[in-house]
């Protein structure tokens, strides 16, 4: 009797152990796959460099959890979305200080009220004949004072 119980006991224990180990392995495998998928998605939102993508996934596959720390250390700091946001902010900042345009001829940054490009001397805008504000070349009506622009371009008001 005693022997029987002991056998049953050890059998149950063995079964539980097996289930426990199987569960543990399944859990770790799921975590491992989850981490690999997460890194794959994360790295692809940061770079399109295939070498970097392979390297990052490789680290996690081989090193598992420590690989995540290595990955967090070597990954590009910003995602494409963050870079895009930065670009928008930079553009807004440039517009605020008046440098929002590029010369159509040479590509230098120019202030939006300049009438000439100082780098290549291309005519960019014209001055209103009445108030002197800079207008786009095709405009024949000043949006600031409403003055009709008779001539296509007037260099200076003669004083
Ligand atoms: Zn220019
Ligand atoms: Zn005007």
């Amino acid at each position: 009797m005693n022997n029987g119980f002991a056998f049953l006991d050890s059998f149950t224990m063995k079964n539980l152990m097996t289930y426990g180990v199987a569960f543990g392995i399944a859990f770790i495998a799921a975590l491992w796959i989850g981490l690999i998928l997460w890194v794959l998605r994360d790295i692809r939102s940061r770079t399109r460099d295939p070498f970097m993508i392979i390297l990052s996934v490789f680290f996690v596959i081989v090193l598992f959890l420590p690989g995540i720390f290595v990955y967090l250390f070597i990954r590009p700091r910003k995602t494409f979305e963050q870079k895009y946001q930065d670009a928008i902010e930079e553009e807004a900042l440039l517009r605020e200080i008046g440098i929002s345009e590029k010369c159509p001829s040479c590509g230098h940054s120019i202030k939006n009220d300049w009438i000439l490009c100082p780098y290549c001397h291309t005519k960019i805008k014209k001055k209103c004949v009445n108030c002197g504000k800079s207008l786009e070349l095709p405009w024949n009506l000043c949006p600031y004072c409403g003055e009709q622009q008779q001539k296509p371009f007037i260099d200076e008001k003669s004083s």
Side-chain angles (χ1 to χ4, degrees):
M1 276 292 197
N2 231 355
N3 259 357
F5 272 121
F7 169 73
L8 198 68
D9 223 25
S10 76
F11 181 75
T12 312
M13 282 297 286
K14 212 172 173 185
N15 257 358
L16 279 175
M17 288 264 287
T18 312
Y19 282 129
V21 168
F23 181 78
I25 289 171
F27 177 76
I28 288 167
L31 186 68
W32 188 53
I33 291 167
L35 286 177
I36 292 166
L37 291 178
W38 177 81
V39 164
L40 191 62
R41 207 178 53 185
D42 191 68
I43 191 68
R44 285 173 70 194
S45 74
R46 287 166 199 275
T47 182
R48 287 197 181 87
D49 180 6
F51 175 74
M52 194 66 196
I53 293 173
I54 290 167
L55 190 74
S56 303
V57 173
F58 174 80
F59 267 123
V60 181
I61 288 173
V62 174
L63 297 177
F64 193 32
L65 279 174
I68 284 289
F69 293 109
V70 174
Y71 168 68
L72 290 176
F73 187 70
I74 63 165
R75 74 176 180 181
R77 207 162 51 84
K78 288 179 174 176
T79 62
F80 289 129
E81 207 182 316
Q82 285 166 329
K83 280 180 192 162
Y84 179 65
Q85 289 295 332
D86 284 1
I88 287 177
E89 273 168 33
E90 199 184 315
E91 206 171 282
L93 191 76
L94 285 176
R95 200 177 302 125
E96 220 164 79
I97 59 174
I99 302 172
S100 64
E101 290 177 23
K102 293 231 186 305
C103 169
S105 175
C106 69
H108 272 102
S109 292
I110 50 173
K111 289 201 175 190
N112 49 18
D113 59 346
W114 288 355
I115 59 169
L116 287 171
C117 172
Y119 304 100
C120 67
H121 302 177
T122 300
K123 193 189 293 174
I124 303 156
K125 292 193 176 154
K126 60 186 177 185
K127 273 186 175 177
C128 171
V129 292
N130 183 45
C131 70
K133 297 230 172 167
S134 49
L135 312 179
E136 300 288 336
L137 288 177
W139 295 355
N140 50 21
L141 193 75
C142 173
Y144 300 100
C145 68
E147 184 75 18
Q148 281 276 347
Q149 309 297 305
Q150 305 295 342
K151 293 171 187 172
F153 182 74
I154 297 211
D155 286 65
E156 293 289 331
K157 267 194 275 185
S158 48
S159 50

